[in-house]
């Protein structure tokens, strides 16, 4: 996998969907389709509507050096190789939700955010179940909502960051999660699980 530091140019950054479009432009050989999986996961490290954004991008393909609204500042190859019972520091920003039936249209299901911290911690445990256990030193940090417009539809994403220490249970399952990400709203900077050895 490839980890890249990407700078997004200012302009339209108040619409989170534009972050995704700008990043996808770094992969010109793959057409950006609204309902298609991205070839990358990302996390917004810094956002300034006047100056632009700094984004960490993990991809299976190498991005081009620059496009109209994005440029790659640095890249490096990463090859996660967790070991059974290995302790790892982790960082995850996720869209923590549950699915319920729409009261106005019972045949339709909708996602709603989990607001209480204990619910968010249980969600994290379910997502890592089988891959990691013995989560400790956990810090949970809520973020202000982010808003987007996609076509004629508008929406809101509620993000939460988790930071702590996990112990690897199944290295192969953990590697799958590192590649595919965790939870919904990956197009809006959610789901990238970052791990490192404790210092």
């Amino acid at each position: 996998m490839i980890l890249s530091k990407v700078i997004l140019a200012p302009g339209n950054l108040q619409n989170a969907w534009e972050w995704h479009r700008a990043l996808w432009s770094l992969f010109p050989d793959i057409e950006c389709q609204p309902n298609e999986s991205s070839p990358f996961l990302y996390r917004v490290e810094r956002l300034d509507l006047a100056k632009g954004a700094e984004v960490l991008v993990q991809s299976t393909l190498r991005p081009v050096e620059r496009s109209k609204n994005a440029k790659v500042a640095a890249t490096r190859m990463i090859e996660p190789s967790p070991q059974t019972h290995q302790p790892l520091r982790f960082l995850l920003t996720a869209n923590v939700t549950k699915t319920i039936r729409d009261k106005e249209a019972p045949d339709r299901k909708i996602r709603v955010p989990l607001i209480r911290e204990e619910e968010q911690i249980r969600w994290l445990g379910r997502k890592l179940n089988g891959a990691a256990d013995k989560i400790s030193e956990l810090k949970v940090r809520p973020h202000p909502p982010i808003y987007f417009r996609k076509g004629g539809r508008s929406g809101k994403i509620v993000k939460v960051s988790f930071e702590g220490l996990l112990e690897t249970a199944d290295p192969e399952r953990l590697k799958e999660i590192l590649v595919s990400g965790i939870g919904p709203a990956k197009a809006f900077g959610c789901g990238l699980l970052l791990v490192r050895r404790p210092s």
Side-chain angles (χ1 to χ4, degrees):
M1 294 190 295
I2 300 167
L3 202 61
S4 304
K5 177 182 175 181
V6 175
I7 307 300
L8 299 184
N12 291 328
L13 292 179
Q14 71 275 12
N15 179 2
W17 179 242
E18 294 301 326
W19 310 345
H20 186 245
R21 284 166 53 91
L23 292 170
W24 202 307
S25 69
L26 295 171
F27 302 90
D29 293 337
I30 302 177
E31 185 179 352
C32 178
Q33 297 290 345
N35 299 315
E36 198 172 289
S37 296
S38 302
F40 57 85
L41 297 168
Y42 73 97
R43 168 187 167 84
V44 177
E45 301 282 279
R46 180 185 56 79
L47 175 64
D48 185 316
L49 296 181
K51 297 179 180 178
E54 183 178 304
V55 182
L56 192 64
V57 179
Q58 175 186 291
S59 59
T60 52
L61 303 172
R62 182 173 292 277
V64 298
E65 289 185 7
R66 65 172 57 239
S67 64
K68 181 181 177 183
N69 296 313
K71 69 175 181 178
V72 176
T75 61
R76 67 183 176 94
M77 296 292 297
I78 55 170
E79 282 297 335
S81 54
Q83 306 298 311
T84 305
H85 304 307
Q86 180 184 21
L88 293 169
R89 292 268 171 208
F90 74 91
L91 175 63
L92 168 70
T93 297
N95 179 220
V96 182
T97 64
K98 66 179 179 180
T99 303
I100 63 171
R101 293 196 179 278
D102 189 337
K103 291 180 180 179
E104 297 178 2
D107 293 337
R108 186 165 70 98
K109 293 181 179 180
I110 56 174
R111 286 196 183 109
V112 295
L114 297 176
I115 302 299
R116 294 165 53 206
E117 186 172 297
E118 55 267 34
E119 292 180 319
Q120 296 167 347
I121 292 171
R122 285 197 295 270
W123 179 93
L124 177 66
R126 289 194 299 272
K127 294 299 181 182
L128 292 176
N129 185 38
D133 53 19
K134 297 183 181 177
I135 297 170
S136 60
E137 302 178 28
L138 183 63
K139 296 177 183 177
V140 182
R141 181 167 55 92
H143 294 267
I146 61 172
Y147 299 90
F148 68 90
R149 289 195 61 81
K150 183 179 174 184
R153 187 168 62 93
S154 61
K156 178 177 76 170
I157 302 292
V158 179
K159 300 198 294 185
V160 177
S161 284
F162 301 96
E163 188 171 2
L165 186 70
L166 60 80
E167 184 175 299
T168 304
D170 182 338
E172 290 305 313
R173 176 62 187 139
L174 183 56
K175 283 171 67 175
E176 289 174 10
I177 291 174
L178 290 170
V179 172
S180 62
I182 294 178
K186 295 181 180 69
F188 302 102
C190 298
L192 173 58
L193 177 65
L194 299 168
V195 298
R196 62 175 175 84
R197 295 184 181 90
S199 53

